[in-house]
């Protein structure tokens, strides 16, 4: 990818965790790769706690460097990357400080990108301050999640930002959409003739989407305790993955064609009746346990978490899509912290053959299955039945394995790198449009509301397990189980 489009990338929250772990490392990788970022492109970090550029570069060297190029750092590239970085000291509580930013960047060539790696309460004040010094022209704004706390607060932010920036200037990040395997899912579905005819209720029995984490809430106890897994992972990442799995083939890959199709899925989600919530939603909270041989504490004792917290760290849901393609097919979504493994995967279970001349094993649902693993390693496996060697006709499960790192040894890109390049180059397809976000909030709100008023606490699970037993029982009612429970 070669580019000559110049840019000025302004990073609010320049000394924050996200800048340290994701944004600056992603910009460095794009810089190091050569040809992805215009030579003249500049990065302006905005922060309050650092005195000047020298102080900021010191911070970058100390905190960002350990997160880049884990397989060996190219020191020459690192030095030239630092040359791109400028610094503006702004107190975000003082709109008058934005004159400093305007003076620093006006006159620079190319598009301006404002990345708001700050808490959502600062989104609107920053936008107003940018507009007050005329910086909303010739610019794009990137908003990090969480974008609001519910439909109302998300609408309030979107309304206020929308008064200053047009929708096509607004890039709402969901980093799951930038992951290579998610792109590959689109390629698999719409670049091949093999899968699409089977990708429907007639042939698919159920679909599972799991994002499991081994990590706990780390240093974010306070934020997480006011958020919970439904807001942190389901409303955005899981529903975005679901919409990509279930969408109709778009007319083209342009941003609105893709986003229109995703929106149709989100709008077709069967609304959850609060009376059914116990049947279709499980929430859990981790207790003390052991992960990879290490004892880990209970959620309620993590720093920043209230000791009597009822915030969920685990959610499992049964979701249905009310359209011709998917009517009656359960989609099981699951996410949790402190689970037994770190894995994100999509499992498409196909129906059994209608009649088996080959014995009962061919009648088992899930004998044909596609497992798309997003992380930790990116693979796609297609499971089939084959004859076991030797006498008789005994069937056994085998799989075709597509390990992408074997086919494509170079060029893998981290999600943030892809998404940042998309912002700089004006590609909106992998960003969440306002109407998608609203549809997702609208769908999760009855669950949030019901959990808020219910006096039932989340179900406990030991850290290092796969969550509460109720999540398995929910699938058992449909004659199925989670992938790791097979055999
Ligand atoms: C973030 C959530 O959006 O995604 C975190 O706020 C979560 O709680 C993270 O840990 C998971 O992302 P990834 O890419 O590490 O799977």
């Amino acid at each position: 990818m070669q580019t000559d489009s110049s840019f000025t990338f302004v990073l609010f929250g320049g000394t924050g965790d996200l800048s340290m772990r994701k944004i600056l490392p992603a910009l460095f990788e794009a810089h190091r790769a050569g040809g992805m970022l215009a030579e003249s492109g500049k990065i302006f970090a905005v922060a309050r706690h650092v005195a000047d550029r020298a102080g900021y570069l010191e911070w970058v060297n100390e905190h960002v460097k350990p997160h880049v190029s884990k397989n060996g750092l190219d020191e020459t590239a690192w030095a030239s990357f630092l040359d791109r970085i400028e610094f503006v000291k702004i107190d975000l509580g003082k709109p008058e400080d934005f004159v400093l930013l305007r003076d620093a960047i006006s006159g620079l060539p190319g598009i301006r990108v404002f990345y708001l790696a700050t808490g959502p309460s600062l989104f609107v004040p920053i936008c107003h301050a940018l507009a007050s010094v005329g910086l909303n022209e010739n610019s794009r704004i990137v908003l990090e999640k969480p974008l609001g706390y519910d439909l109302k607060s998300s609408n309030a932010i979107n309304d206020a930002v929308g008064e200053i920036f047009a929708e096509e200037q607004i890039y709402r990040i969901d980093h799951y959409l930038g992951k290579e395997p998610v792109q590959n899912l689109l390629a698999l579905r719409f670049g091949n003739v093999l899968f699409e005819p089977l990708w429907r209720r007639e042939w698919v029995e159920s679909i599972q989407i799991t994002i499991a984490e081994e990590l706990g809430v780390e240093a974010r106890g306070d934020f997480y305790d006011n958020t919970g897994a439904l807001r942190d992972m389901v409303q955005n990442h899981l529903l975005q993955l679901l919409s990509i799995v279930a969408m109709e083939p778009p007319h083209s890959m342009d941003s609105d064609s893709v986003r229109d199709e995703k929106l149709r899925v989100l709008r077709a989600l069967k609304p959850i009746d609060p009376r059914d919530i116990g049947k279709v939603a499980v929430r859990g909270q981790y207790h003390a346990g052991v992960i990879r041989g290490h004892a880990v504490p209970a959620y309620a004792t993590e720093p920043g978490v209230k000791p009597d917290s009822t915030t969920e760290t685990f959610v499992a849901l049964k979701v249905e899509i009310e359209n011709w393609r998917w009517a009656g097919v359960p989609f099981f979504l699951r996410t949790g912290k402190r689970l037994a493994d770190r894995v994100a995967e999509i499992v498409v279970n196909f129906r059994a053959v209608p009649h088996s001349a080959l014995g009962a094993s061919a009648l088992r649902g899930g004998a044909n299955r596609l497992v798309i693993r997003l992380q930790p390693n990116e693979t796609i496996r297609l499971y089939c039945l084959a004859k076991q060697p030797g006498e008789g006709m005994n069937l056994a499960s085998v799989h075709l394995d597509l390990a992408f790192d074997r086919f494509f040894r170079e060029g893998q890109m981290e999600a943030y790198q892809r998404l940042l390049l998309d912002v700089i180059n004006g590609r909106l397809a992998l960003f969440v449009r306002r109407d998608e976000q609203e549809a997702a909030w609208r769908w999760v709100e009855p669950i949030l509301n019901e959990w808020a008023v219910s006096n039932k606490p989340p179900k406990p699970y030991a850290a290092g397990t796969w969550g509460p037993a109720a999540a398995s029982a929910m699938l058992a009612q449909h004659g199925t189980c989670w992938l790791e429970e097979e055999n």
Side-chain angles (χ1 to χ4, degrees), residues 144-315:
E144 259 296 335
K145 66 176 270 285
L147 221 149
Y149 185 75
D150 52 17
L151 180 60
K152 193 166 161 229
S153 54
S154 142
N155 276 345
I157 294 175
N158 279 323
D159 285 346
V161 175
E163 279 174 18
I164 293 161
F165 292 94
E167 180 64 26
E168 58 276 12
Q169 290 177 285
I170 304 175
Y171 289 68
R172 297 179 192 84
I173 280 227
D174 184 312
H175 76 281
Y176 264 74
L177 292 181
K179 291 189 189 260
E180 191 84 49
V182 177
Q183 304 293 292
N184 242 322
L185 179 56
L186 293 171
L188 187 82
R189 282 195 62 194
F190 305 129
N192 296 291
V193 78
L194 281 181
F195 300 103
E196 209 40 32
L198 304 180
W199 211 261
R200 55 188 62 250
R201 66 189 302 282
E202 289 81 354
W203 302 106
V204 174
E205 193 171 69
S206 67
I207 294 187
Q208 300 174 10
I209 309 180
T210 292
I211 306 179
E213 298 186 85
E214 285 179 18
L215 288 179
V217 290
E218 307 304 294
R220 300 194 307 158
D222 190 25
F223 157 78
Y224 195 88
D225 207 35
N226 289 305
T227 304
L230 195 68
R231 290 186 176 91
D232 189 42
M233 299 295 285
V234 178
Q235 186 273 342
N236 32 63
H237 306 323
L238 274 171
L239 289 184
Q240 283 293 325
L241 289 182
L242 170 72
S243 64
I244 290 201
V245 172
M247 74 194 223
E248 296 298 316
H251 153 71
S252 75
M253 281 294 148
D254 80 52
S255 54
D256 280 333
S257 301
V258 174
R259 299 188 303 175
D260 286 348
E261 295 306 339
K262 278 163 51 204
L263 176 65
R264 283 196 184 103
V265 174
L266 293 168
R267 288 194 172 151
L269 296 179
K270 183 176 174 184
I272 292 203
D273 182 335
R275 286 166 305 185
D276 288 341
I277 212 132
K279 291 189 212 138
V280 298
V282 175
R283 63 171 174 155
Q285 189 188 86
Y286 63 83
H287 284 197
V290 176
I291 295 196
R292 298 198 187 272
H294 295 286
V296 295
Y299 173 72
T301 63
E302 300 270 18
V305 173
K306 291 185 283 304
D308 58 350
S309 169
T310 56
T311 299
E312 77 286 353
T313 59
F314 175 96
V315 180

